Amino acid sequence: MLALALTADLTGVTDLSPVDTEDDPYFFTFKVQCTSCRETHPNWVNVSRFDSTEVSGSRGEANFVWKCKACKRESTASIKAPAAAYHHASPPTRQNIVEFDCRGLEFMEFKADGEWKAKGIESGTSFGGIDLQEGEWFDYDEKAGEEITHIHSGASHSSATSIMDAVDGTEHYEKSSTEPPPSLLTIVLDTNPHAWALLLDTLTLTQAVANLLVFINAHLAFNNANKVAVIASHIHRAEFLYPPPSTPSTTNNTTSSPPQPNGLDTHMPDAPSTAPQPPSLPRSNTTHPTDDANIYRPFSQIASTLFASLSALLARTTPSALASTPTTALAGALTLALTYTNKQSLLLAPSHPPSTASLPSAPALNARILVLAVSTASPAQYIPFMNALFAAQRLRIPIDVLALAGASSFLQQAADATGGTYVSLSSPAASGTPPPPHGLLPTLLLAFLPDATARAHLVAPTQASVDFRAACFCHRRVVDVGFVCSICLSIFCEPPEGAVCLTCGTHLRVGRYGARPAVVGRRKKRKEKGREGGGGVR
């Protein structure tokens, strides 16, 4: 049960309430968040007690029905009773004006749209058409003979809070600054078919994903606000496996909400009901796998979505695409991870800063990236890869790497530069062959489950040595010794043609590089007279 609390400084008026009739209904405007996956809808949504929408599965009706785009869970909210009037009080007090019966969602932020009404304290004059969007309202009461009737509303501090929670909106935000921030784990899964084919005898992709799901569930179990995202680093492209991206097909198969006032867009698409099921979750004739009572709902949703997205990705991979390149778009996957992290940080940033300046400002999101690699990055991706590395270093986002096969110098540099953890499961004696599958899950749980805050109190595994070799800008070859432009720091395996930098156009001075060295003959040593034969007779 949620309640909308209002704090208003009333002068000369009382009984402040929204104009809410069947002919002129009032739409309460909120930002809505899913309590299952903590995904916040980007648009404002409207709720009216005169609107009713049928709930799926013949579970009755509700004033507001919403299906989350991330976890596909349907949530409802209903207004329990007409809005109560806010009574004059000196000093102003916090009063609940309307209650909501919310199932699976929370209203995070309130905007006072629409018309409000009030009446004079002494004269009883009715005032209508009150607009509280600016937070203040002034008028003249002729019966009372007062020059100014003043309302200063606390709309900026109004919040939808639990009835059992006795703190107001300001204390709510101040309290959240002392709580640990949620942790976002973005996993980059290397789905290179060439590399997984080489590991088929020891570790299959299905086994790796099954171990990865246990690791994801453990991460989500630490905190209800924790988030996770999985990105596939595939050949020629990188795309999200979870949460799945919205497509035009899912947008057309929707149940649109009734038109909203003020031109607000509350279009929320439903998920297709014919999504393929994962191998570990068999299809039931009566129950969808995500509705199984024996499985925690968020875990089941992630598993079904991840397997379905991965199966669709592999089904779209053509033999011609496999033959064109042996590597994956690792740089593009890291770029997607950084953009998703930035988006989630903006959504979780507090819209109401704490009023007490002495309180420490905690980060809105504790983010990190985990790369599960089975192949090395192509030297052709060196420049975009280093751009993503420097961006993660600037944002203080550690990049962890678990190498199941091979040893990528670029990933070693990424883990070292961002303060992440690099662990290689490949066996040197077996020429890069990974250990049995049961070694994957303990490594994930012991080495990569603690976030950056917890690692400050632990001894994290580190790599003994880092391969700092770079790829040249001219031929995209990894070089040990090269030539560096003194202006833009571009690296070349050999002096460029015309001694001109290919990046910035600076004329380079290479001296006598490439000239044939002059051959100097060996100087003969002169022998002193009288020392031959061991001496002579005078």
Side-chain angles (χ1 to χ4, degrees), residues 236-300:
H236 293 303
R237 66 183 182 274
E239 65 178 56
F240 277 94
L241 298 179
Y242 182 85
S246 59
T247 59
S249 59
T250 61
T251 304
N252 296 332
N253 187 15
T254 60
T255 302
S256 58
S257 56
Q260 305 296 340
N262 301 329
L264 294 177
D265 180 18
T266 58
H267 181 65
M268 301 177 185
D270 294 338
S273 58
T274 58
Q277 303 302 316
S280 60
L281 299 174
R283 182 183 294 272
S284 173
N285 295 330
T286 59
T287 308
H288 192 273
T290 57
D291 296 331
D292 191 350
N294 297 322
I295 304 176
Y296 184 46
R297 186 183 182 92
F299 297 168
S300 177

Side-chain angles (χ1 to χ4, degrees), residues 417-465:
T418 59
T421 301
Y422 183 91
V423 176
S424 177
L425 289 184
S426 59
S427 175
S431 183
T433 302
H438 60 263
L440 175 59
L441 182 58
T443 304
L444 288 172
L445 295 178
L446 296 177
F448 301 103
L449 186 57
D451 58 5
T453 304
R455 292 177 189 177
H457 309 281
L458 301 174
V459 179
T462 57
Q463 48 188 334
S465 59

Side-chain angles (χ1 to χ4, degrees), residues 186 261 311 386 460 526:
T186 306
S311 301
M386 296 306 294
R526 294 183 59 186

Side-chain angles (χ1 to χ4, degrees), residues 55 109 120 227 317 371 404 423 437:
V55 183
E109 186 178 350
K227 296 176 176 291
T317 305
V371 180
L404 299 181
V423 176

Side-chain angles (χ1 to χ4, degrees), residues 348-377:
L348 293 177
S351 57
H352 300 276
S355 59
T356 305
S358 60
L359 289 176
S361 58
L365 188 66
N366 191 357
R368 55 195 171 108
I369 299 174
L370 171 62
V371 180
L372 194 66
V374 293
S375 58
T376 59

Side-chain angles (χ1 to χ4, degrees), residues 170-183:
T170 305
E171 293 175 353
H172 170 75
Y173 287 108
E174 291 178 355
K175 181 179 179 181
S176 64
S177 63
T178 61
E179 297 176 352
S183 177

Side-chain angles (χ1 to χ4, degrees), residues 522-534:
R522 183 178 180 182
R523 185 178 181 182
K524 296 182 179 180
K525 186 177 180 180
R526 294 183 59 186
K527 295 182 180 180
E528 297 183 4
K529 295 181 179 181
R531 294 186 178 273
E532 296 181 359

